[in-house]
Amino acid sequence: MMKKVFKAISVIFGIALCFWIYVVNKEEVLQPTLDETPVSQLLTQTQNPDTPVSLQLGSATKILNKKETVDDESNDKSDYIVECKLNHITDYENLSNADIIDSFETSNSQNKQLAHALYSELTGEESRLDKLLKFNQRFPGNPIALEQMLGLCTEVKDHPSCNQELVQQAISVDGQNAAMWFAIASFYASKDDPEKIKHAFRQIISAPLYQESFADYIELYIDSLQGRPNEDFSTNALSALGVVAAQPSFFNIISKLCTEKPEVDEEFSLLCLSLGETMESRGKTNITQMIGSAYQEYIFELEGNDAAVQELEKKRKQNNVPISLFNQATNLALFDQRLFRSWLNNVRNLGEHEAAQLIVEEAITLSKNPFYQPCP
């Protein structure tokens, strides 16, 4: 059963980041609906920010040089979306984005320092956690940095800064946010502290907010690069999607917990079920919602509740967005900064699923205007 849940979790990582995978290898992604995207290549493919964009596109470059055919569902003229060629996006001739971000180490800007801590290349013995701790000492109280540090502490358990003081700082800064409490729960899980884990789960379930950082990571990367000579939004946005897709995620430790403890601890069973319901109903990213659904499915199968399992399956199949239209819309957004930022805001405030619906609708509306010409 645990293998089944982990398999589901590995699949849904691609749903949250399907746009990036589409850029890397479009042929593998064109499937009927957004929630059925196969992503077996995700865990073995990452986008190197130092590699020129034209090389990053790989086989997609060849595909996009040809007249593209799309699924029948998007051939209707009422669904027409302007298509810009991704191979027109080229890397900077001199310093790459990675070089610029590496130079932010001496910047006085908090955002640029945070971008350096999150995205700069690791050299020598300094870890990502060390970079973020150094940032936190200079600019204490940044929720993105604190959430990421707590996650990294699950992998570096004996680090002297991975302590209750860090947890208390996170609570004081963002204690109303379920996403921060999920990071805290992961931290406690790495310490094998059942009572504190249960407390963190209750806080996730009762928190008034569920604000995830996916859109913030992308926006931070793009905004930190603003103002450079010959700046190109398309290049920066494409690079941001690849870099953010490669950021670590820390779901595994809670997933392992919720597929082991419920069999021997009834309270954990109830809490993992409520946790899954909270993630599915209130989480903003597809990955959070689908992992929440997977937690519920495991508990329901453990209980022999076949009706509840079938209801989950039914919900997963409802309100899907055609993947071909979503791909075309997000492709277009790379060449239209206003459309791209609108999508980010909708992901942040409404969630990925509704944001996908809205970007498709807006892209179709824009494409009906004969004077709309976003392509270079």
Side-chain angles (χ1 to χ4, degrees):
M1 179 61 64
M2 188 186 302
K3 289 182 178 179
K4 180 179 179 181
V5 175
F6 284 148
K7 181 179 179 181
I9 290 171
S10 68
V11 168
I12 57 181
F13 262 86
I15 299 172
L17 301 172
C18 61
F19 174 52
W20 173 69
I21 302 168
Y22 159 72
V23 170
V24 176
N25 193 338
K26 185 177 180 184
E27 283 184 315
E28 296 294 322
V29 181
L30 286 178
Q31 298 293 326
T33 61
L34 183 59
D35 287 348
E36 297 172 1
T37 304
V39 290
S40 58
Q41 79 273 26
L42 176 63
L43 299 181
T44 58
Q45 288 184 329
T46 55
Q47 185 178 30
N48 186 341
D50 280 334
T51 306
V53 171
S54 58
L55 297 180
Q56 292 169 359
L57 295 178
S59 61
T61 302
K62 299 176 183 178
I63 299 167
L64 292 169
N65 281 332
K66 301 184 294 183
K67 177 67 176 179
E68 181 187 353
T69 60
V70 296
D71 300 338
D72 290 341
E73 64 192 357
S74 59
N75 279 336
D76 192 316
K77 290 183 179 180
S78 64
D79 289 341
Y80 169 72
I81 294 176
V82 171
E83 180 185 355
C84 300
K85 302 295 184 181
L86 287 181
N87 60 315
H88 289 168
I89 302 176
T90 58
D91 204 0
Y92 294 102
E93 293 183 1
N94 298 315
L95 290 178
S96 69
N97 284 341
D99 294 328
I100 295 295
I101 286 175
D102 284 342
S103 74
F104 289 164
E105 186 173 12
T106 58
S107 173
N108 291 321
S109 163
Q110 179 174 342
N111 280 349
K112 289 184 178 182
Q113 282 274 325
L114 180 57
H116 178 269
L118 288 170
Y119 307 128
S120 63
E121 290 198 354
L122 298 177
T123 57
E125 297 182 357
E126 188 175 39
S127 68
R128 183 68 60 200
L129 179 58
D130 292 329
K131 285 179 178 288
L132 284 163
L133 287 166
K134 188 184 296 184
F135 169 83
N136 190 50
Q137 290 173 353
R138 187 173 181 186
F139 300 101
N142 184 284
I144 292 177
L146 288 166
E147 183 181 1
Q148 193 70 196
M149 283 188 285
L150 286 167
L152 291 168
C153 281
T154 66
E155 301 174 346
V156 192
K157 302 174 187 179
D158 58 348
H159 196 290
S161 294
C162 295
N163 51 36
Q164 189 62 30
E165 183 179 344
L166 181 64
V167 173
Q168 288 305 130
Q169 188 181 9
I171 293 171
S172 66
V173 168
D174 206 20
Q176 301 294 303
N177 184 2
M180 182 64 81
W181 275 104
F182 194 97
I184 294 170
S186 298
F187 175 86
Y188 286 145
S190 72
K191 303 290 186 182
D192 195 22
D193 192 330
E195 292 309 311
K196 287 186 177 179
I197 296 167
K198 292 176 181 179
H199 171 70
F201 278 12
R202 294 187 189 100
Q203 294 300 315
I204 295 170
I205 295 163
S206 64
L209 303 173
Y210 206 132
Q211 297 294 333
E212 299 187 71
S213 302
F214 174 66
D216 296 328
Y217 281 118
I218 296 173
E219 199 160 58
L220 172 69
Y221 184 96
I222 294 171
D223 289 350
S224 69
L225 293 167
Q226 283 188 330
R228 67 186 294 184
N230 303 316
E231 180 185 341
D232 182 74
F233 176 80
S234 298
T235 299
N236 293 345
L238 181 59
S239 183
L241 289 166
V243 169
V244 170
Q247 291 297 297
S249 182
F250 306 104
F251 286 102
N252 285 354
I253 193 165
I254 298 298
S255 298
K256 188 173 187 292
L257 190 71
C258 281
T259 54
E260 292 181 352
K261 289 287 188 181
E263 295 186 15
V264 295
D265 188 325
E266 185 177 354
E267 188 177 9
F268 257 113
S269 178
L270 294 172
L271 284 171
C272 286
L273 181 60
S274 295
L275 174 64
E277 291 170 348
T278 299
M279 293 168 69
E280 182 194 18
S281 62
R282 300 180 57 211
K284 294 298 192 300
T285 62
N286 288 333
I287 182 173
T288 295
Q289 293 171 351
M290 295 298 290
I291 288 178
S293 179
Y295 292 172
Q296 293 174 75
E297 182 177 7
Y298 175 76
I299 302 299
F300 288 144
E301 290 187 346
L302 195 65
E303 297 173 343
N305 191 340
D306 294 336
V309 172
Q310 291 175 4
E311 185 62 27
L312 281 175
E313 289 292 337
K314 181 179 177 181
K315 286 167 67 176
R316 288 172 188 155
K317 294 177 180 179
Q318 291 174 341
N319 302 318
N320 290 327
V321 179
I323 187 64
S324 58
L325 290 177
F326 177 71
N327 286 339
Q328 292 174 72
T330 47
N331 179 339
L332 178 61
L334 282 174
F335 299 88
D336 184 336
Q337 181 170 179
R338 190 208 58 77
L339 182 62
F340 188 94
R341 290 189 182 275
S342 174
W343 170 66
L344 282 183
N345 285 331
N346 287 331
V347 169
R348 182 186 295 110
N349 297 320
L350 304 174
E352 273 193 275
H353 183 76
E354 192 164 346
Q357 294 176 319
L358 290 173
I359 194 174
V360 167
E361 292 173 7
E362 187 168 6
I364 291 172
T365 299
L366 289 168
S367 299
K368 290 178 180 178
N369 183 348
F371 299 102
Y372 178 66
Q373 298 182 356
C375 303

